[in-house]
Amino acid sequence: MRRITVFGSTGSIGVNTLDLIARRPGAFQVVALSGGRNIKLLAEQARAFRAEVAVTAHEDCLPALREALAGTGIEATAGKAALIEAALRPADWIMSAIVGAAGLAPGFAALSQGTTLALANKESLVTAGPLLLAEAAKHNARLLPVDSEHSAVFQALVGEEMAAVERIIITASGGAFRDWPIEKLAHATVAQASTHPNWAMGQRITIDSASFFNKALELIETKEYFGVRPEQIEVLVHPESLVHALVGFKDGALMAHLGAPDMRHAIGYALNWPERAELPVTRLDLAKIGALTFRAPDEDRFPALRLAREVMAMGGTAGAAFNAAKEAALDAFIGEEIGFLAMSRLVEAVLTEMTARHGLGKPLDSLDMVMDTDATARALARSLVPTVRT
Ligand code: NAD
Ligand code: MG
């Protein structure tokens, strides 16, 4: 039996991961599960999978979790230190599916046990890519991509040499507002931004898809994970969300990965890697689908991609500042303090200010440096909220 831990088990990726695990009884033993305030679901999962420990991120939720697990023999713990402790419990495969920069520390800690870390938490690579890869190499741990585009690239690269890769193309559905004119975007509501045309995902990544900040993070994720130059990475809008990525080789060949828009494809690939196992996903009927369409992204309406390219050029601390500013801007949008278009203005203002005040792009030497940059950018973003036009 493979020992498995799932960070963020109560979220969209976490629930899909447990769905695949449940379909193979006897194959996996669940070590730790983690969630936030949804104690009911976390306790249900811990009971159903007979986990060793269930961790809530919030100390004030611990009494409720203890009560929900009373008499089961399952440990209940809470807080950041408890997440790290769970990450150090021996496991063969660990899913990193907490949303946001909060997912970095547990995943990073898990690498020290030389495990396989399935990385849904793209923020880990955006904020601390070089540190994460160095830590994995040091402990002989393996990082597997779970983001659908990056899983697609990873699969298209099986048996290939990176030296033969000319470019990587990641696709974008275009999100909720792909056909909206810019005037209308200014008044987009949180509810409208939280509905994705093709994918069922957590609320934060769904809004990030509508603003293209998700694709912006994914550009940086591609650069960090595959070690390519920023100018080798392209974004292509593909409304059907069936081609997830393409790899272009020096002989001009393009290898594409196609599949239904179902995260269990990418999760299942990482779970069963290096083998392929049967997965409960819809098989594509291309004759019925008929046509696939592609277009270039519109960077006037969605400046996030341009900002990501600036961040990649700076490198070092810029990724952590970018991600933290983006998270703060998203919080402000969800809290209805700023409008949809103001998110990218706020992120840009933070990057400009931080460059002027602190200098952005210093090489990362530690996780503390990442956390410090994150805290500075978040605080600065909060202070700039009243200054951005909504
Ligand atoms: P979600 O919001 O559905 O779930 C997030 C999980 O993290 C929950 O278990 C929640 O309790 C936990 N969490 C939230 N804040 C926390 C904190 N501060 N500390 C500890 N735990 C916390 O998110 P999701 O859509 O499942 O996304 C998870 C990650 O996977 C994100 O990094 C996202 O970008 C990435 N991802 C998601 C999808 C998708 O289809 N949902 C696709 C690609 C990548
Ligand atoms: Mg993705």
Side-chain angles (χ1 to χ4, degrees), residues 192-272:
Q192 287 167 329
S194 303
T195 318
H196 198 283
N198 307 338
W199 295 91
M201 309 186 285
Q203 186 194 29
R204 299 183 71 87
I205 184 176
T206 302
I207 300 176
D208 283 349
S209 297
S211 63
F212 268 77
F213 270 113
N214 180 48
K215 213 49 58 179
L217 297 180
E218 290 181 0
L219 273 176
I220 305 171
E221 185 186 8
T222 305
K223 167 181 174 274
E224 298 298 342
Y225 189 89
F226 297 103
V228 290
R229 296 187 311 279
E231 58 274 19
Q232 289 178 284
I233 316 167
E234 297 169 25
V235 173
L236 187 63
V237 174
H238 168 50
E240 295 87 0
S241 293
L242 300 175
V243 178
H244 303 305
L246 307 95
V247 177
F249 294 92
K250 63 183 177 189
D251 60 357
L254 274 177
M255 297 292 285
H257 175 283
L258 284 80
D262 183 333
M263 281 310 293
R264 292 177 304 178
H265 258 305
I267 297 167
Y269 188 77
L271 183 62
N272 298 298

Side-chain angles (χ1 to χ4, degrees), residues 122 147-149 214-215 218:
K122 62 192 82 188
D147 217 340
S148 56
E149 300 76 3
N214 180 48
K215 213 49 58 179
E218 290 181 0

Side-chain angles (χ1 to χ4, degrees), residues 8 10-13 35-36 57 97-99 102 120-123 147 201-202 263:
T10 58
S12 166
I13 293 286
I98 288 172
V99 65
N121 181 267
K122 62 192 82 188
E123 295 89 345
D147 217 340
M201 309 186 285
M263 281 310 293

Side-chain angles (χ1 to χ4, degrees), residues 42-359:
L42 179 59
E44 267 171 32
Q45 292 177 333
R47 282 170 180 265
F49 289 89
R50 311 210 53 74
E52 288 176 18
V53 60
V55 193
T56 164
H58 310 285
E59 313 261 359
D60 58 309
C61 292
L62 185 56
L65 184 60
R66 279 212 180 106
E67 194 183 327
L69 293 176
T72 60
I74 301 168
E75 283 174 68
T77 62
K80 287 185 183 158
L83 285 168
I84 303 296
E85 191 274 331
L88 298 176
R89 294 192 185 209
D92 304 302
W93 190 90
I94 298 183
M95 167 56 81
S96 168
I98 288 172
V99 65
L104 172 60
F108 196 87
L111 292 175
S112 70
Q113 57 159 308
T115 188
T116 296
L117 186 69
L119 205 57
N121 181 267
K122 62 192 82 188
E123 295 89 345
S124 294
L125 281 167
V126 172
T127 59
L131 295 178
L132 208 70
L133 296 186
E135 188 72 3
K138 182 171 151 195
H139 299 287
N140 219 359
R142 183 167 286 278
L143 283 174
L144 294 176
V146 173
D147 217 340
S148 56
E149 300 76 3
H150 305 75
S151 173
V153 172
F154 188 73
Q155 294 181 52
L157 284 171
V158 170
E160 304 285 355
E161 298 282 339
M162 275 314 286
V165 172
E166 203 170 58
R167 58 185 179 146
I168 291 177
I169 305 171
I170 57 174
T171 61
S173 67
F177 304 144
R178 79 181 152 229
D179 300 316
W180 283 36
I182 196 157
E183 308 76 52
K184 204 173 154 198
L185 279 180
H187 308 289
T189 65
V190 175
Q192 287 167 329
S194 303
T195 318
H196 198 283
N198 307 338
W199 295 91
M201 309 186 285
Q203 186 194 29
R204 299 183 71 87
I205 184 176
T206 302
I207 300 176
D208 283 349
S209 297
S211 63
F212 268 77
F213 270 113
N214 180 48
K215 213 49 58 179
L217 297 180
E218 290 181 0
L219 273 176
I220 305 171
E221 185 186 8
T222 305
K223 167 181 174 274
E224 298 298 342
Y225 189 89
F226 297 103
V228 290
R229 296 187 311 279
E231 58 274 19
Q232 289 178 284
I233 316 167
E234 297 169 25
V235 173
L236 187 63
V237 174
H238 168 50
E240 295 87 0
S241 293
L242 300 175
V243 178
H244 303 305
L246 307 95
V247 177
F249 294 92
K250 63 183 177 189
D251 60 357
L254 274 177
M255 297 292 285
H257 175 283
L258 284 80
D262 183 333
M263 281 310 293
R264 292 177 304 178
H265 258 305
I267 297 167
Y269 188 77
L271 183 62
N272 298 298
W273 183 89
E275 285 160 23
R276 286 190 186 271
E278 224 167 274
L279 293 176
V281 297
T282 306
R283 271 51 178 171
L284 295 184
D285 180 343
L286 290 175
K288 211 180 218 167
I289 292 161
L292 300 172
T293 56
F294 303 96
R295 62 174 112 137
D298 177 349
E299 295 196 16
D300 290 336
R301 284 188 304 151
F302 304 106
L305 297 179
R306 169 178 58 80
L307 295 176
R309 296 217 177 260
E310 289 171 13
V311 167
M312 287 193 288
M314 288 189 269
T317 52
F322 180 62
N323 179 69
K326 190 281 295 177
E327 289 191 28
L330 181 57
D331 289 336
F333 175 67
I334 293 174
E336 298 182 354
E337 293 175 85
I338 62 173
F340 184 77
L341 292 175
M343 284 193 284
S344 53
R345 282 199 292 272
L346 182 56
V347 172
E348 185 157 21
V350 171
L351 293 177
T352 306
E353 274 290 311
M354 280 191 74
T355 305
R357 285 197 215 172
H358 308 270

